[in-house]
Amino acid sequence: MPQLLKDVLSRHFIHAVVWAKPNVNAFFIASVAFLGTLLPASAAQFVTLGTGGVTGVYYPTGGSICRLVNKNRKEHGIRCSVESTGGSVFNLNAIRDGDLDMGVVQSDWQFHAFHGTNLFADAGPNDQLRSLFSIYPEPFTVVARADAGIASFDDLKGKRVNVGNPGSGQRATLEVLMEAKGWTMDDFSLVSELKSGAQSKALCTGQIDAMVFAVGHPSGSVKEATTSCDSVLVDVSGPLVDKLIEENEYYRKAIIPAGLYSGSNTDTKTFGVGATLVSTTAVPEEVIYQIVKAVFESFDDFKRLHPAFANLTKKEMVRDGLSAPLHPGARRYFLEAGLL
């Protein structure tokens, strides 16, 4: 019987005992013990996992993790549920506030949340934040209408650009790049804040000239944009990007391979981060241990759940992009599995 349920039952029956007549107190006490032997292990402890928009990669990633956890919930008493959210920054704030137990977040914003820098400077360091594992690389991706005259990132100046919804990692990473270039939102002729699920349609109906996206590939949103209308992937490279990579441990060079999307005949050069799974010290060690174990002991199944997972390796997932300390539950599993 899961401990959380035992605690709830105990509180409920203690309250009942206080108000019960003395001669029935024994009945309530016995009932608690009896119910503890009858309730099924499937009466689980609930954990919530924050993701992103439903058409992005974060949402199916969270769904894949929870699917593997829930498959054995009768054994460990944990039920995992997925929430669609605003993305990385939202998830990190919600984890800090105790509104989410776990979240999929970009590695750069994991770093800033743990250290209390950039967007998290006012809140200060979140020293309770903990890493579970890295998931997949997320290249910073710019998709533009072929008729918009956008051949490089610098050509976005003066264009109509979807910058992403507030709270999303893509928006925050774009703002870092803009700050390095000395740009503000006024440098675009139009700024839209559409979520990932709406931006491809806006591009193809001519409402915007370009969209930016930090995403694992292949991406359904990028595929929609490149197959529904004449659009191109744009390089995000050059000395300034090289400097960002050199100065920040969570950035790295990235390539979106030629032929991955319609009209993409050459490699697209860009930079990127990694999608990571994080939690907090408030979530018990045993819960995190079982979650990590569920993914890594069904690793081949996990890799088949989304195309972005196809090239993952266990070693890279334990090593790459983890700025916050490992959660004790994750460390315990990785030590047992010989991955640390």
Side-chain angles (χ1 to χ4, degrees):
M1 180 179 181
Q3 185 60 46
L4 180 64
L5 185 59
K6 290 180 180 178
D7 292 343
V8 171
L9 282 171
S10 297
R11 287 194 296 270
H12 173 75
F13 279 101
I14 287 170
H15 179 76
V17 167
V18 168
W19 292 100
K21 294 181 181 180
N23 63 349
V24 296
N25 281 354
F27 168 76
F28 282 97
I29 293 170
S31 296
V32 174
F34 181 65
L35 281 172
T37 66
L38 291 184
L39 283 170
S42 58
Q45 175 167 338
F46 287 88
V47 291
T48 55
L49 197 165
T51 57
V54 294
T55 60
V57 183
Y58 279 16
Y59 187 76
T61 294
S64 299
I65 293 168
C66 282
R67 181 186 303 180
L68 294 175
V69 172
N70 292 337
K71 185 172 69 173
N72 295 319
R73 64 177 179 263
K74 290 184 179 180
E75 297 175 13
H76 50 56
I78 301 164
R79 186 183 296 270
C80 181
S81 64
V82 178
E83 291 190 14
S84 174
T85 72
S88 294
V89 177
F90 179 96
N91 292 342
L92 287 160
N93 284 325
I95 287 170
R96 183 174 194 144
D97 294 339
D99 297 327
L100 289 172
D101 299 302
M102 300 181 292
V104 183
V105 305
Q106 288 181 200
S107 56
D108 50 347
W109 298 111
Q110 178 194 146
F111 176 94
H112 289 306
F114 181 72
H115 292 282
T117 52
N118 204 287
L119 296 179
F120 301 94
D122 290 342
N126 182 1
D127 56 8
Q128 306 302 306
L129 187 68
R130 293 294 181 266
S131 299
L132 274 64
F133 50 82
S134 180
I135 312 174
Y136 55 84
E138 291 188 289
F140 184 78
T141 306
V142 177
V143 185
R145 291 179 57 88
D147 59 5
I150 300 172
S152 70
F153 184 85
D154 285 345
D155 294 331
L156 292 180
K157 204 167 186 178
K159 303 296 184 180
R160 301 170 300 159
V161 180
N162 183 61
V163 300
N165 58 287
S168 66
Q170 70 190 70
R171 166 74 167 266
T173 302
L174 172 65
E175 289 172 344
V176 169
L177 190 55
M178 289 173 60
E179 182 179 359
K181 287 183 171 291
W183 292 7
T184 69
M185 293 296 177
D186 291 336
D187 285 296
F188 302 128
S189 63
L190 174 72
V191 171
S192 65
E193 299 181 328
L194 301 171
K195 293 184 178 181
S196 59
Q199 60 185 353
S200 298
K201 182 178 180 180
L203 186 78
C204 288
T205 55
Q207 299 174 53
I208 57 174
D209 299 312
M211 65 186 204
V212 298
F213 210 10
V215 66
H217 292 279
S219 157
S221 184
V222 176
K223 184 176 181 180
E224 179 184 354
T226 54
T227 55
S228 299
C229 60
D230 194 7
S231 56
V232 295
L233 272 66
V234 177
D235 279 0
V236 185
S237 57
L240 188 143
V241 172
D242 292 341
K243 185 179 179 182
L244 279 176
I245 295 170
E246 181 181 344
E247 294 178 348
N248 299 282
E249 63 184 58
Y250 39 77
Y251 292 143
R252 66 198 71 179
K253 289 186 177 181
I255 295 289
I256 304 171
L260 192 59
Y261 299 104
S262 176
S264 175
N265 300 319
T266 60
D267 288 346
T268 302
K269 299 176 183 178
T270 184
F271 74 110
V273 293
T276 65
L277 185 65
V278 299
S279 186
T280 171
T281 54
V283 180
E285 175 181 329
E286 180 64 22
V287 172
I288 297 300
Y289 172 85
Q290 294 293 346
I291 290 168
V292 174
K293 180 180 180 181
V295 173
F296 279 75
E297 296 203 349
S298 297
F299 194 64
D300 289 339
D301 291 339
F302 180 69
K303 289 173 65 175
R304 286 192 288 267
L305 292 174
H306 194 280
F309 306 159
N311 297 315
L312 294 180
T313 68
K314 291 183 179 181
K315 284 288 188 182
E316 288 176 345
M317 291 174 70
V318 175
R319 182 189 66 221
D320 292 351
L322 303 181
S323 303
L326 279 174
H327 193 288
R331 178 175 292 278
R332 177 180 145 203
Y333 175 77
F334 294 145
L335 286 171
E336 287 182 5
L339 295 170
L340 283 180

